[in-house]
Amino acid sequence: MRNTRLLFAVALTASIAGLSSFNAYAQQYAAVDTTNQPLSNEVCATCHGGEGQGNPVVGGPSLAGLEPWYLRKQLENFRAGIRGSQKDYIPGNEMQASVARLSDAEIDDLVNTIAGWKVIENDHTIKGDLSNGEALYANCAACHGADGEGNEALGAPGLVERNDWYMFRQIKLFKSGYRGVHPDDTAGKLMRPSAQALKSDQDVNDVLAYINSLDR
Amino acid sequence: MKKFVSRREILGLIAKAGASGAVLQASNALGIVPDSYVDIPKIPPADPSNRPSVVVLGAGVAGLTAALELKKAGYSVVVLEAAGRAGGRNMTVRHGDLIDEVGNPQICDFDDEPHMYFNAGPARIPSSHRNVLHYCKELGVELEFFINENKETYIQDDAMLDGKPIKNREFTTNARGFMAEIMAKNFTNAELDQPFDQWEVEALMRALRRIGDLDEDMLYKGSIRGGYSHGGFLEHGHALEAVALRDLLKTDLFSMALGQNEGETGPMLFQPVGGMDQIIKGFLRKLPDEVFYNVMVTSVMLQNDGIEVVYEHKGIKYKIEADYCFNSIPTHLMTGIDNNFSADYKEAMAYPRRGEAYKSAFQAKERFWEKDDIFGGISWTNQPIEQIWYPPHGMYKEKGIILSAYNYGGGMHFTQLTQEERIETAIRQGEKVHPNYRNLVEKGITIAWHRMNHMLGCSARWQKSRSGFTQEEERLFQTLRQPAGNRHYTIGDQITKHTAWQESAILSAHWAINDMLTRKSGGAMPGQRV
């Protein structure tokens, strides 16, 4: 019989351990209970890019430069199904599944690790009318700050050096009710009406073009 | 009151069944046998004092093919593999193996015996896939026949016969009988338009009578080819009662019952003895020092006279320079890796859709299908599990591994379920084909290729429409097939017109090597024109 532990030592870096347990039913039929099996530490990079720079094709945004408090909150929201549990938005649902079994200690690990990543300048992919964008941004500035610096007390993340394609998708998700509708998503519930104030895709593009102009 | 259907309407219905079958076949990449010939690249031996260097990204079938051929010619070859195992989608799951699905890692707990394996990716080798068979021979991979179609398996559709499964032989015999009858009856009309002579008419009638087991009046009233209700050896055999065409037409599985025996899934198919990954093991025997595992590529940069690849291993970064790069990383992941490719090339990389194929398997506590005369083959159902495959190996052993679902397209149904839900769904749906299924199977494993770590997708799906490549898709495909800067080749089944087959992966590597040789000998200058 092959030594599975040895296989794991080779296959995986055991940086993350202590997954929540399956229920009794699963133990009867599932292959094995993977509780306490290490999870590949390379899971993040598969979707979020080799350097955490994000990958629009699979919908994984850049992680480098995310505020630790925001990253932690989102990991917790995904884990609890507050975010990403709606199955027809595939990237969100994938993210939800990916972190559903993380422990608090593992979330600490991830937040600390990602905090150390150097910020990567993102390509700007969106064009829009800067003056209209600036006017629309006044509404955003209340929470996200005049320079897009974010506001932890309000749960509003910084917006500079984020992927514009990702922000575009998120605004659309807030507008259509995929984000910001869960009763426990306090910050998201604040964001939803603000997103709805952006009436058209052109408005969204304009405000994102302005946010891009705030990048370093 | 029952609504009677005219013969013309029946013909229309049959045409409809045929048409939907054609769509199914196209989506399953079945029913056609594309041209494939063995033409191993003839690589001029490298000068030992000045060996060209190649870095291969990905140790799947395409990457290993490129590595093997280039190594044989004396090139210096390194293969970087992100996972802890080689093979890519060529994956055989056995006792103790990790299924590294993002968010749902599983470790297989099948009994530890040679025949207790599951081919989670490719599972059959058509006899027309000559290049796969060529490498099986070269690499010493022992082959056995794979049984794809078996008339003892079942056709089950909730809309047909109150959802009761019906043996494929019974379905086929009845369907064929009625179709022959209808054709015979209608032939007199056809005669008016076609100049058939008396002899031809009689020959056709004889053939139809035999094909459909029609009686003297050219009517179909059942046939022993559909199976016996009783008797057959010591007593006279009695045929099962004919099933009405009207009942058979309630399922869209018509084409699956009648059409699996031709084209790419027709006999003869092969499988390696002991699992599909014997092919990978064969390659690795010839590449003992070239493949490096758990290596994540973070950057691929074209240089003036070569290519630079940066990768990370156990938290440490390394840089490797080579003359050429053969890259089988799925293009949708390559877009998340730093590179300096042209905007056109990047656009092409971002285009193909991630394939969403899904498979699952159980360990069967006993080989219950054998008590039902089933040895290999596939049962078809209209439920999301779509297929149940019975192992064509390990006959009469105590246990076996049964494929409990294979959803090639639109497989997100299962992907989005939890592991527990996937297993329960497979059991519940399998119960409609095999009574007592729930108590006969255990230790389920699931493979959602859309979420497998380092792949995030089954075969690339280039076509947004079923009517073929659009001009735009053709342009993107050709852009991606050409080498970037004469130095970087995208390889894998992802850059072929017949994705999801190992044959395509091999041919993509051959194509890239031949293109490289042509450019070298043609005096093309390395690097990009500026």
Side-chain angles (χ1 to χ4, degrees):
Chain A
M1 198 186 106
R2 280 184 290 168
N3 185 329
T4 49
R5 293 288 164 176
L6 185 66
L7 190 74
F8 265 93
V10 177
L12 307 169
T13 309
S15 68
I16 299 173
L19 306 170
S20 63
S21 61
F22 277 1
N23 62 28
Y25 178 84
Q27 287 180 18
Q28 185 185 349
Y29 286 110
V32 284
D33 183 357
T34 44
T35 309
N36 297 324
Q37 291 295 347
L39 190 67
S40 170
N41 69 333
E42 288 151 358
V43 164
C44 307
T46 301
C47 293
H48 292 280
E51 304 273 18
Q53 73 270 49
N55 183 354
V57 177
V58 296
S62 68
L63 301 176
L66 279 178
E67 301 97 318
W69 64 264
Y70 178 74
L71 181 57
R72 179 185 304 281
K73 185 71 191 164
Q74 296 312 308
L75 284 169
E76 287 169 356
N77 281 355
F78 275 118
R79 180 177 64 176
I82 294 168
R83 192 177 165 190
S85 55
Q86 276 153 301
K87 294 189 189 254
D88 35 356
Y89 182 61
I90 290 169
N93 192 235
E94 285 172 332
M95 181 64 189
Q96 204 277 326
S98 306
V99 302
R101 295 134 63 98
L102 292 181
S103 68
D104 288 350
E106 289 159 356
I107 288 184
D108 286 346
D109 259 10
L110 283 172
V111 170
N112 290 336
T113 304
I114 292 168
W117 289 357
K118 82 174 179 353
V119 178
I120 296 165
E121 274 185 44
N122 294 306
D123 291 338
H124 294 167
T125 65
I126 282 175
K127 290 189 171 59
D129 181 292
L130 277 178
S131 58
N132 186 40
E134 185 172 9
L136 290 166
Y137 187 76
N139 193 27
C140 314
C143 294
H144 291 279
D147 297 319
E149 68 274 22
N151 183 333
E152 181 176 356
L154 294 170
L159 302 176
V160 291
E161 296 293 2
R162 307 264 52 95
N163 301 118
D164 54 13
W165 57 264
Y166 172 74
M167 291 191 285
F168 183 90
R169 282 189 201 184
Q170 297 310 306
I171 291 171
K172 301 280 278 187
L173 293 175
F174 276 114
K175 285 182 69 166
S176 60
Y178 275 92
R179 273 190 84 174
V181 291
H182 194 284
D184 295 333
D185 187 4
T186 328
K189 279 192 293 187
L190 285 174
M191 177 64 189
R192 180 134 200 262
S194 309
Q196 283 166 323
L198 300 168
K199 295 295 180 207
S200 63
D201 282 3
Q202 192 53 55
D203 276 356
V204 178
N205 282 334
D206 291 348
V207 82
L208 288 173
Y210 178 72
I211 290 168
N212 276 342
S213 74
L214 301 173
D215 283 357
R216 284 168 282 268
Chain B
M1 203 182 90
K2 266 190 176 165
K3 178 176 176 281
F4 288 94
V5 182
S6 74
R7 188 177 301 155
R8 195 162 299 284
E9 282 174 298
I10 289 173
L11 286 171
L13 283 170
I14 290 173
K16 190 176 136 230
S20 63
V23 172
L24 265 175
Q25 290 200 336
S27 68
N28 282 333
L30 304 175
I32 38 168
V33 184
D35 183 35
S36 179
Y37 50 90
V38 180
D39 187 12
I40 305 302
K42 293 163 193 67
I43 311 175
D47 172 2
S49 63
N50 185 23
R51 301 165 68 201
S53 56
V54 174
V55 58
V56 176
L57 306 182
V61 170
L64 293 174
T65 299
L68 175 63
E69 293 303 336
L70 293 165
K71 181 189 176 183
K72 285 196 290 191
Y75 285 51
S76 164
V77 177
V78 165
V79 184
L80 305 181
E81 169 55 49
R85 53 171 277 278
R89 276 175 281 134
N90 176 321
M91 180 180 182
T92 302
V93 182
R94 303 180 183 79
H95 178 87
D97 285 344
L98 168 72
I99 299 165
D100 191 10
E101 178 183 331
V102 172
N104 184 31
Q106 304 157 59
I107 296 165
C108 177
D109 194 29
F110 294 160
D111 290 359
D112 193 4
E113 286 191 65
H115 71 288
M116 299 294 278
Y117 66 81
F118 178 60
N119 287 327
R124 47 194 171 188
I125 305 172
S127 57
S128 54
H129 289 196
R130 297 175 193 169
N131 287 280
V132 180
L133 296 170
H134 161 87
Y135 282 106
C136 286
K137 184 175 180 187
E138 177 172 338
L139 302 171
V141 176
E142 197 182 334
L143 295 170
E144 61 192 1
F145 287 124
F146 176 89
I147 295 159
N148 191 73
E149 195 199 35
N150 176 355
K151 289 295 177 193
E152 289 297 331
T153 59
Y154 288 98
I155 304 292
Q156 189 274 336
D157 190 318
D158 291 348
M160 175 180 71
L161 304 171
D162 299 325
K164 280 202 301 285
I166 180 174
K167 284 273 185 178
N168 187 318
R169 59 170 149 72
E170 203 183 342
F171 186 101
T172 299
T173 303
N174 284 289
R176 194 175 46 210
F178 285 120
M179 289 197 290
E181 180 184 315
I182 291 164
M183 196 172 166
K185 283 174 180 166
N186 279 273
F187 193 70
T188 44
N189 294 339
E191 267 180 301
L192 297 174
D193 304 325
Q194 297 290 332
F196 288 103
D197 64 28
Q198 187 61 24
W199 188 89
E200 286 167 331
V201 171
E202 281 171 15
L204 181 65
M205 289 297 166
R206 270 198 311 278
L208 287 175
R209 186 173 292 143
R210 286 187 184 170
I211 290 167
D213 282 332
L214 306 185
D215 68 9
E216 293 302 307
D217 301 323
M218 300 303 278
L219 297 175
Y220 175 72
K221 291 175 178 167
S223 161
I224 52 165
R225 286 155 74 191
Y228 294 106
S229 61
H230 57 282
F233 288 103
L234 297 177
E235 309 295 338
H236 282 301
H238 295 268
L240 287 163
E241 251 182 66
V243 179
L245 179 62
R246 181 172 290 117
D247 290 328
L248 300 179
L249 287 172
K250 289 188 174 139
T251 181
D252 273 341
L253 295 169
F254 231 91
S255 64
M256 308 323 285
L258 296 175
Q260 283 290 296
N261 213 20
E262 289 89 26
E264 216 157 24
T265 54
M268 296 316 298
L269 292 129
F270 302 95
Q271 66 176 10
V273 175
M276 191 57 81
D277 66 353
Q278 299 300 335
I279 295 175
I280 302 303
K281 290 175 182 173
F283 274 112
L284 294 177
R285 282 193 294 274
K286 302 268 187 180
L287 300 162
D289 305 316
E290 284 80 4
V291 185
F292 294 81
Y293 301 95
N294 301 304
V295 162
M296 291 283 278
V297 173
T298 59
S299 151
V300 178
M301 294 290 169
L302 292 165
Q303 314 283 27
N304 280 338
D305 52 357
I307 194 145
E308 179 196 274
V309 173
V310 178
Y311 66 87
E312 192 172 318
H313 178 63
K314 294 185 176 173
I316 300 168
K317 281 194 176 170
Y318 302 83
K319 185 172 79 179
I320 183 167
E321 286 173 342
D323 295 320
Y324 292 94
C325 178
F326 284 69
N327 186 350
S328 69
I329 295 174
T331 60
H332 57 262
L333 296 184
M334 198 54 219
T335 53
I337 294 172
D338 270 351
N339 63 70
N340 61 349
F341 302 143
S342 69
D344 285 354
Y345 202 77
K346 286 182 183 182
E347 180 197 13
M349 287 198 305
Y351 185 79
R353 192 166 58 80
R354 296 155 58 193
E356 61 271 86
Y358 173 90
K359 278 187 176 181
S360 67
F362 286 117
Q363 171 166 302
K365 297 173 194 169
E366 57 177 276
R367 298 172 74 89
F368 58 88
W369 52 89
E370 292 184 352
K371 294 177 181 164
D372 205 0
D373 303 335
I374 298 172
F375 296 85
I378 300 173
S379 283
W380 293 91
T381 166
N382 74 322
Q383 305 173 93
I385 59 168
E386 289 188 15
Q387 309 179 33
I388 294 176
W389 291 24
Y390 312 92
H393 58 274
M395 258 75 81
Y396 285 119
K397 288 186 183 294
E398 192 191 342
K399 299 180 185 176
I401 306 301
I402 185 170
L403 176 145
S404 55
Y406 179 16
N407 197 319
Y408 177 74
M412 292 307 282
H413 169 81
F414 280 102
T415 301
Q416 294 178 323
L417 302 179
T418 65
Q419 178 72 0
E420 297 93 288
E421 290 167 342
R422 292 176 186 178
I423 300 288
E424 173 59 22
T425 305
I427 290 174
R428 215 172 45 241
Q429 297 184 359
E431 278 176 324
K432 290 196 181 175
V433 182
H434 295 286
N436 202 30
Y437 191 64
R438 180 178 297 274
N439 298 311
L440 295 167
V441 298
E442 62 182 353
K443 299 182 177 180
I445 57 166
T446 70
I447 316 279
W449 287 104
H450 204 261
R451 290 204 182 158
M452 291 294 281
N453 200 8
H454 310 300
M455 291 182 254
L456 286 189
C458 191
S459 58
R461 311 286 160 95
W462 276 92
Q463 292 168 238
K464 297 242 158 96
S465 134
R466 281 180 170 170
S467 54
F469 274 58
T470 62
Q471 278 190 343
E472 176 67 358
E473 284 167 342
E474 190 63 40
R475 180 186 70 78
L476 291 163
F477 181 92
Q478 294 303 338
T479 299
L480 193 60
R481 182 146 81 163
Q482 297 305 313
N486 281 343
R487 296 290 180 177
H488 174 275
Y489 285 91
T490 297
I491 58 170
D493 67 309
Q494 61 185 341
I495 191 66
T496 71
K497 296 288 177 62
H498 198 45
T499 60
W501 291 100
Q502 298 180 94
E503 182 77 359
S504 308
I506 291 171
L507 285 168
S508 80
H510 289 173
W511 189 95
I513 291 171
N514 282 325
D515 187 74
M516 177 188 78
L517 296 174
T518 305
R519 284 168 196 268
K520 277 172 103 171
S521 65
M525 299 306 289
Q528 283 167 307
R529 266 182 69 168
V530 289

